[in-house]
């Protein structure tokens, strides 16, 4: 057991950075005004929100009036898909998404099916990369929306969004990307990517939880899902979360400034981890591509062992990781992402996601590999399946 637990779950959430916290604090107390109020307190709040919007717009290369604050990535994803579906339903009722989207997209798509929309899923290869030829083949006259994440939260695969957007636009279809895992790590320039809508979230980039944004290109119609007051230019009701918005923008500014440096450092942790696990632990599968994955992500399936058993064993040793995606962990369902990659159910149950951050060290990585080796050996020694297969091999 280590003195202080080691956190390898940055894809689930990240700690708030000190700079963001410092920026936020005044907006809880002294400068607490409602951004809708017509007095000095309100004006101060609006000024802070406007500055934050400008900062985020600049980072993603959008206009400030194309950035809409939401309660996080989930709301932004919901809004993009549901909002476009409802706004363009007279043009068509066919939606296309990838099969490895976050639950915020998959569950929303299923709900829209109940309303009479039809949903088709793109195909991915064994590494989770979108098959562009297949995408072209499933586009129809009535397709109104194509949505795919920029990078996957579970296996870290980076998707060819620019190409997907080109395909969508060549058919006059709106293109959305979920950049929740990619923001602050990869370039999220909406013009370069060519997308019409993009979701981002504060807590994956050392910002606060419960805040995110949806980029909506001017000219694209998106029906509101949160109706109420006049906030967010009449598109999203609800009292503006000023402290969170201020903290989100500050965290994003820092993440963007440190992007290349952190990419290099975090990739070096990941690469050593992957290399050691692959060479020192038998019967293990790296999920997602070796290249072309998020710098923080290493996702493994350990044959003959349930992911949960490894997770608990690592937790006891002071190492915090996740089984499957943070949102689906806790459920006994196999990962929909790993099933889409073609993994058999057994392996799709046994995956563990390690996601590194800028405060992790090489010593922590090495300690984790040592613990994994001994945990896996111990758990396999108790696995009847492992024993049976081992005996077959020995015949
Ligand atoms: N999209 C992706 C790819 C995610 O990884 C997550 C969170 O895990 C979300 C959306 C949801 O974001 P939030 O937690 O801000 O609601």
């Amino acid at each position: 057991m280590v003195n202080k637990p080691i956190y390898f779950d940055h894809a689930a959430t990240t700690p708030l950075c000190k700079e963001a916290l410092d920026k936020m604090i005044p907006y809880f107390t002294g400068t607490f005004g409602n951004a809708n109020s017509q007095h000095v307190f309100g004006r101060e709040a609006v000024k802070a929100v406007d500055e934050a919007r400008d900062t985020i717009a600049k980072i993603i290369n959008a206009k400030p009036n194309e950035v809409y604050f939401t309660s996080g990535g989930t709301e932004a994803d919901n809004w993009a898909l549901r909002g476009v579906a409802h706004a363009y339903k007279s043009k068509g009722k066919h939606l296309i998404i990838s099969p490895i989207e976050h639950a915020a997209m998959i569950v929303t798509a299923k709900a829209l099916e109940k309303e009479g929309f039809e949903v088709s899923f793109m195909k991915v290869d064994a590494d989770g990369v979108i098959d562009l030829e297949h995408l072209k083949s499933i586009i129809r006259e009535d397709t109104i929306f194509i949505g795919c994440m920029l990078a996957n939260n579970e296996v870290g695969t980076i998707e060819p969004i620019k190409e997907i957007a080109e395909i969508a636009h060549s058919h006059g279809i709106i293109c959305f990307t979920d950049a929740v895992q990619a923001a602050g790590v990869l370039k999220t320039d909406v013009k370069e990517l060519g997308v019409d809508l993009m979701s981002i979230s504060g807590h994956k980039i050392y910002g606060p939880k419960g805040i995110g944004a949806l980029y909506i290109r001017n000219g694209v119609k998106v029906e509101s899902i949160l109706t109420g007051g006049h906030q967010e230019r009449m598109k999203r009701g609800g009292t503006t979360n000023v402290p969170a918005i201020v903290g989100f923008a500050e965290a994003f500014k820092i993440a963007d400034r440190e992007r290349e440096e952190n990419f290099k450092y975090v990739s070096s942790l990941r690469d050593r981890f992957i290399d050691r696990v692959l060479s020192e632990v038998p019967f293990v599968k790296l999920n997602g591509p070796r290249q072309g994955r998020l710098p923080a992500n290493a996702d493994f399936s350990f044959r003959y062992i349930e992911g949960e058993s490894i997770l608990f064993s690592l937790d006891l040793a002071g190492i915090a990781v996740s089984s499957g995606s943070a949102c689906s962990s806790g459920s006994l369902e196999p990962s929909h992402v790993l099933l889409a990659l073609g993994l058999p159910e057994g392996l799709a149950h046994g995956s563990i996601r390690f996601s590194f951050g800028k405060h992790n060290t090489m010593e922590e990585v090495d300690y984790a590999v040592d613990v994994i080796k001994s945990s896996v050996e111990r758990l396999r020694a108790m696995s009847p399946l492992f024993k049976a297969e081992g005996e077959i091999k020995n015949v």
Side-chain angles (χ1 to χ4, degrees):
M1 179 72 181
V2 286
N3 291 336
K4 199 167 150 255
I6 297 173
Y7 189 73
F8 283 163
D9 203 11
H10 292 82
T13 196
T14 53
L16 181 68
C17 66
K18 167 98 174 55
E19 295 88 335
L21 176 65
D22 288 347
K23 277 256 177 178
M24 290 168 73
I25 283 173
Y27 294 95
F28 285 110
T29 51
T31 321
F32 61 87
N34 184 323
N36 252 19
S37 298
Q38 310 291 309
H39 46 60
V40 62
F41 293 86
R43 281 195 295 279
E44 279 175 340
V46 163
K47 187 167 170 280
V49 172
D50 284 348
E51 278 173 18
R53 203 186 303 278
D54 287 351
T55 301
I56 291 173
K58 205 164 154 214
I59 297 171
I60 66 168
N61 195 17
K63 297 189 185 78
N65 70 1
E66 293 174 317
V67 174
Y68 295 84
F69 290 112
T70 64
S71 62
T74 299
E75 186 191 326
D77 285 359
N78 265 260
W79 192 10
L81 179 49
R82 206 172 250 127
V84 167
H86 288 165
Y88 290 89
K89 62 174 186 270
S90 60
K91 197 174 162 219
K93 288 189 126 186
H94 182 233
L95 315 163
I96 299 177
I97 62 170
S98 95
I100 60 170
E101 292 304 290
H102 188 267
M105 293 292 290
I106 303 267
V107 176
T108 306
K110 296 270 174 227
L112 286 166
E113 276 181 333
K114 292 205 181 107
E115 288 181 30
F117 288 89
E118 259 185 87
V119 181
S120 300
F121 291 93
M122 303 175 208
K123 247 194 209 155
V124 292
D125 69 12
D127 284 331
V129 181
I130 301 297
D131 177 340
L132 297 174
E133 291 310 310
H134 175 259
L135 169 61
K136 287 180 200 162
S137 75
I138 57 173
I139 290 175
R140 309 188 324 208
E141 277 291 300
D142 60 341
T143 308
I144 53 167
F145 179 96
I146 295 180
C148 179
M149 57 205 341
L150 184 46
N152 180 264
N153 47 303
E154 201 172 320
V155 294
T157 309
I158 298 170
E159 299 295 354
I161 296 302
K162 200 169 168 213
E163 287 79 358
I164 292 173
E166 276 165 14
I167 293 169
H169 291 158
S170 69
H171 291 82
I173 300 166
I174 288 168
C175 182
F176 160 76
T177 195
D178 171 342
V180 168
Q181 292 287 338
V185 177
L186 307 177
K187 231 172 143 194
T188 43
D189 178 323
V190 290
K191 301 276 172 353
E192 248 177 50
L193 292 170
V195 290
D196 304 297
L197 301 137
M198 182 173 81
S199 57
I200 48 180
S201 174
H203 71 110
K204 311 286 185 181
I205 54 169
Y206 303 91
K209 294 173 183 49
I211 188 71
L214 181 64
Y215 157 75
I216 307 176
R217 185 172 63 71
N218 282 339
V220 172
K221 284 188 287 176
V222 178
E223 217 169 81
S224 298
I225 56 168
L226 268 188
T227 48
H230 290 176
Q231 292 90 355
E232 296 303 286
R233 297 176 299 292
M234 313 275 291
K235 282 205 163 77
R236 194 259 182 196
T239 301
T240 309
N241 189 349
V242 183
I245 288 171
V246 168
F248 176 25
E250 184 65 16
F252 203 4
K253 191 166 79 186
I254 294 166
D256 189 55
R257 192 173 64 214
E258 296 177 347
R259 191 165 54 78
E260 287 179 18
E261 182 193 329
N262 286 340
F263 190 102
K264 259 196 218 141
Y265 177 66
V266 176
S267 304
S268 72
L269 299 176
R270 176 207 59 191
D271 287 343
R272 178 168 174 91
F273 182 77
I274 290 180
D275 288 344
R276 278 201 62 194
V277 170
L278 287 180
S279 64
E280 297 177 37
V281 184
F283 307 116
V284 63
K285 181 182 182 315
L286 174 69
N287 298 315
R290 187 69 180 83
Q291 309 293 331
R293 71 189 301 139
L294 285 173
N297 176 289
D299 189 87
F300 286 106
S301 290
F302 296 90
R303 283 191 75 188
Y304 312 114
I305 321 176
E306 284 283 325
E308 309 293 319
S309 319
I310 305 174
L311 186 142
F312 295 137
S313 178
L314 296 185
D315 189 29
L316 279 177
I319 302 166
V321 297
S322 170
S323 71
S325 74
C327 317
S328 62
S329 59
S331 98
L332 292 175
E333 292 294 304
S335 147
H336 72 282
V337 174
L338 296 182
L339 291 180
L341 268 57
L343 263 73
E345 272 213 18
L347 281 184
H349 264 298
S351 82
I352 292 284
R353 179 186 69 187
F354 302 83
S355 47
F356 308 101
K358 62 180 179 178
H359 303 303
N360 288 133
T361 64
M362 227 29 121
E363 289 69 37
E364 290 176 331
V365 165
D366 281 334
Y367 170 72
V369 178
D370 293 341
V371 172
I372 291 166
K373 277 165 68 178
S374 54
S375 301
V376 165
E377 206 174 309
R378 189 169 38 76
L379 291 167
R380 281 194 182 137
M382 296 186 295
S383 156
L385 195 63
F386 182 65
K387 278 192 201 140
E389 291 220 2
E391 276 160 23
I392 293 165
K393 273 192 207 86
N394 288 337
V395 171

